[in-house]
Amino acid sequence: MRIDYKLLSAASKTFGFPLSEAQAELLDGFFALVTEANEKFNLTALTDADSFTVKHLVDSLAGERFFPLNAKACDIGAGAGFPCVPLAVVRPDVDFIALDSTEKKIVFVNSAVRELGIDNVHGKCARAEDCSDLSALFDVVCARAVASLPVLLELSFPLLKKGGFFVAYKTDISEAETARNALKTLSGVLKDLFSFSLPNGDSRCIMCFEKQKDTPKAYPRRYSLIKKNPL
Ligand code: SAM
């Protein structure tokens, strides 16, 4: 195995769940597929096993606690499959849509999960703001390294059921300050957060927002408006 199983299993233990050797083998297989695909087109800057283990795998797995049993989940801007693919490996009960606007990334995710036999990730190539077909479908929506919090709240809340959670992978809590107006407009509250350090010492904060009311029909707006005039 090229990824660091010892480090990964120690990290998952601190996050509150066990990581079996079979699950680590799957994550190692995913690493091999990402690095192979990376030779043809750019999927990630992290191609050595240690950085991949720490910055992609440990980081993705840290949000596991925010996914209720048997949740239907959507990962907005999943890219090459983070955080949804590592989460799907440790949480076979959760069904993930990996959503990304870049087709080659979704082609990669779909082929990687097929090859690894991971049957709870389904890639969909679309922009989140164009997915009225996914409206109010999910228990959890997550996103890592995609956009600012106000933008992400506007993209994620329409996809959530009332009472569902948006899980934002961020570096620190300070960004929550910028989301006050978005939370008020969309009837969201910061329900929980998990601050931790990666094994390399980098700080991370995963915030969990609850959708308390149906989202007004006006949202999401067109992306040009969301970007130009964030909530
Ligand atoms: N989440 C992955 C990760 O942590 O490695 C990928 C992050 S990458 C920096 C951001 C991704 O978000 C890109 O693949 C981009 O295509 C996608 N993206 C940005 N805005 C989006 C939108 N409105 N709807 C769907 N995908 C979007």
Side-chain angles (χ1 to χ4, degrees):
M1 210 184 290
R2 280 168 295 177
I3 60 166
D4 189 338
Y5 175 48
K6 249 178 145 172
L7 183 145
L8 204 53
S9 124
S12 63
K13 210 167 160 190
T14 67
F15 297 151
F17 62 91
L19 181 83
S20 70
E21 209 163 335
Q23 289 169 332
E25 290 287 359
L26 276 180
L27 295 173
D28 193 54
F30 187 52
F31 169 65
L33 293 174
V34 171
T35 42
E36 186 190 311
N38 225 33
E39 283 166 20
K40 283 174 243 143
F41 56 92
N42 186 32
L43 278 177
T44 173
L46 305 173
T47 48
D48 72 284
D50 288 346
S51 313
F52 188 91
T53 305
V54 171
K55 294 191 180 177
H56 280 329
L57 298 179
V58 174
D59 192 34
S60 294
L61 293 177
E64 185 275 341
R65 64 186 59 210
F66 297 119
F67 291 78
L69 190 68
N70 298 325
K72 261 181 90 67
C74 178
D75 183 3
I76 293 180
F82 304 102
C84 62
V85 172
L87 287 169
V89 167
V90 299
R91 291 293 303 276
D93 59 298
V94 178
D95 206 54
F96 285 93
I97 300 276
L99 191 64
D100 203 285
S101 51
T102 306
E103 190 170 7
K104 66 176 186 180
K105 296 188 179 178
I106 291 306
V107 168
F108 167 76
V109 169
N110 279 334
S111 102
V113 295
R114 198 178 322 114
E115 191 161 338
L116 295 168
I118 297 168
D119 60 6
N120 56 332
V121 176
H122 318 279
K124 178 178 164 84
C125 180
R127 296 198 62 88
E129 65 275 21
D130 296 336
C131 287
S132 53
D133 55 322
L134 302 181
S135 175
L137 266 190
F138 299 99
D139 303 294
V140 183
V141 173
C142 60
R144 191 186 83 144
V146 177
S148 69
L149 210 38
V151 170
L152 287 173
L153 287 163
E154 182 165 350
L155 296 180
S156 63
F157 266 45
L159 306 183
L160 284 171
K161 295 175 185 170
K162 192 159 79 177
F165 300 104
F166 170 56
V167 174
Y169 282 68
K170 293 287 178 185
T171 49
D172 65 81
I173 176 99
S174 62
E175 216 183 307
E177 279 299 309
T178 65
R180 279 182 189 214
N181 189 55
L183 288 172
K184 198 168 155 214
T185 308
L186 299 167
S187 299
V189 289
L190 177 62
K191 203 67 184 170
D192 200 358
L193 61 88
F194 178 43
S195 294
F196 62 100
S197 295
L198 291 174
N200 65 355
D202 290 354
S203 299
R204 292 286 183 267
C205 180
I206 303 180
M207 294 173 244
C208 177
F209 299 92
E210 186 182 18
K211 166 170 164 171
Q212 298 197 312
K213 290 187 188 163
D214 291 332
T215 303
K217 291 267 178 285
Y219 304 105
R221 296 165 293 162
R222 276 183 294 122
Y223 199 69
S224 54
L225 275 177
I226 299 176
K227 279 288 273 186
K228 199 171 138 203
N229 188 15
L231 289 175

